Amino acid sequence: MNETPQPMMKAQNLVKAYSMGGRTLEVLRGVSLNLDSGEICALVGRSGSGKSTLLHLLGLLDQVDSGTLTLEGQNVHNLGAAESAQARARRIGFVFQQFHLLPELDALQNVLLPRRIATGLRWWAQAGDEKEKACSLLTRVGLGNRLRHRPNQLSGGEQQRVALARALVSNPAFILADEPTGNLDRESGKAILDLLLEAAQEQKAALLVATHAEKVAAACDRILHLRNGVITQEA
C-alpha cells in the first residue's frame, strides 16, 4: 500500500502572543495549514490580522508559543537560534516587503549571504560556483550590470529584485513573500510577481504570499483568509 505523501510544510495550532505595556496581545490563536511542494498559496487579511507574524513563524524568524511546525517531515518549531539560521539558509527563501538588504554589501554580496551561512567552512572551497550562480540569478532578474551596486544606489524595484535573487539562491523548498509588491509601482510589482511565480514553479517549491492585492491573490492556486488570528476560510 502506498503511503499518503506528507505535505512539504505542516503547521498545527500555532499560537503567538506578545506582551505590550503590561498587556498580552494574542496575535495567532491556533493556526493550522498545510502546503505541498509546488503549491502557490496566497495569505490575505486586514492589516494587524497576523499575516507577517505567521510568515515569521513559518520562516523560523521567530519561535511559536505553542503548536507544531514541520518542514519536509522534520520538526522545526523548537530549533535553537543557530539551527534555525542553518535551516533558513538551506531550505527557506524569504522575500520581505522592506527588502532588508544589508546597506554595506553590494547586490552580489547580499545575494550570497545565505550561501555563506549555509556552507560554513566549506564556503572557500565552493565560493566560485556560488558566485557564478548568484551572478546568474541577478542577471535573470535584470541586474547583471548592477552586481557591485549597493542598495542606496538601486531603485525600490531593483532592491526587491536583489531580495528575490537572495531568496532563490539556495533552491529553497519553501518560499515566503511578505507583501512583495507592496512598495512598488504597478509595472515593477508585476515583474516581481511574475519572476516569483516562475521561479517557484521551476523549483517545485511551496510558495506562500501574504498580500493585500487582489491580482496577486488571484494568481495563486489557493487563498487562505486570516482573521482575528485564525484561518477562517480557504478557497
Side-chain angles (χ1 to χ4, degrees):
M1 181 181 296
N2 294 328
E3 295 185 1
T4 302
Q6 293 295 310
M8 192 287 307
M9 188 284 302
K10 183 175 183 179
Q12 291 184 297
N13 298 317
L14 300 186
V15 173
K16 187 65 180 179
Y18 297 98
S19 296
M20 300 181 64
R23 300 175 55 191
T24 298
L25 176 63
E26 291 184 312
V27 181
L28 301 178
R29 304 178 183 183
V31 169
S32 298
L33 67 144
N34 296 340
L35 284 172
D36 295 325
S37 295
E39 184 175 15
I40 297 172
C41 187
L43 178 67
V44 302
R46 294 180 179 178
S47 296
S49 61
K51 298 191 304 297
S52 292
T53 296
L54 178 56
L55 260 63
H56 278 71
L57 296 182
L58 299 179
L60 307 184
L61 293 166
D62 200 356
Q63 289 192 322
V64 302
D65 293 336
S66 63
T68 61
L69 177 63
T70 61
L71 182 63
E72 297 180 302
Q74 178 188 357
N75 290 328
V76 293
H77 55 276
N78 54 3
L79 295 179
E83 292 173 307
S84 293
Q86 283 289 322
R88 286 195 305 271
R90 292 173 178 170
R91 304 158 74 185
I92 299 173
F94 209 123
V95 184
F96 299 91
Q97 182 180 7
Q98 301 297 334
F99 317 140
H100 289 306
L101 302 177
L102 295 183
E104 67 273 19
L105 302 182
D106 62 33
L108 179 59
Q109 291 167 331
N110 267 287
V111 172
L112 284 170
L113 196 56
R115 299 306 304 149
R116 299 198 68 159
I117 295 171
T119 56
L121 294 176
R122 302 192 313 277
W123 166 254
W124 299 110
Q126 58 194 68
D129 291 340
E130 299 289 358
K131 289 178 180 178
E132 183 177 349
K133 180 177 180 181
C135 288
S136 177
L137 273 171
L138 284 166
T139 298
R140 179 176 178 181
V141 300
L143 295 176
N145 62 342
R146 310 299 295 275
L147 302 179
R148 295 303 178 183
H149 287 69
R150 294 188 179 185
N152 65 1
Q153 298 171 307
L154 301 171
S155 69
E158 288 171 335
Q159 289 182 56
Q160 189 63 300
R161 289 168 184 261
V162 175
L164 177 57
R166 179 184 59 190
L168 300 176
V169 72
S170 292
N171 294 321
F174 187 23
I175 303 171
L176 301 112
D178 192 359
E179 299 286 356
T181 65
N183 288 329
L184 306 177
D185 59 58
R186 185 165 67 176
E187 183 177 349
S188 296
K190 183 181 185 304
I192 288 295
L193 178 62
D194 290 345
L195 287 166
L196 186 58
L197 296 176
E198 181 182 329
Q201 291 168 346
E202 286 182 1
Q203 297 179 190
K204 293 183 172 55
L207 169 62
L208 181 62
V209 184
T211 184
H212 285 98
E214 292 182 2
K215 288 186 177 181
V216 174
C220 299
D221 301 326
R222 184 161 57 108
I223 301 174
L224 304 176
H225 297 262
L226 188 61
R227 296 188 181 97
N228 300 317
V230 295
I231 290 176
T232 58
Q233 179 184 350
E234 297 190 22

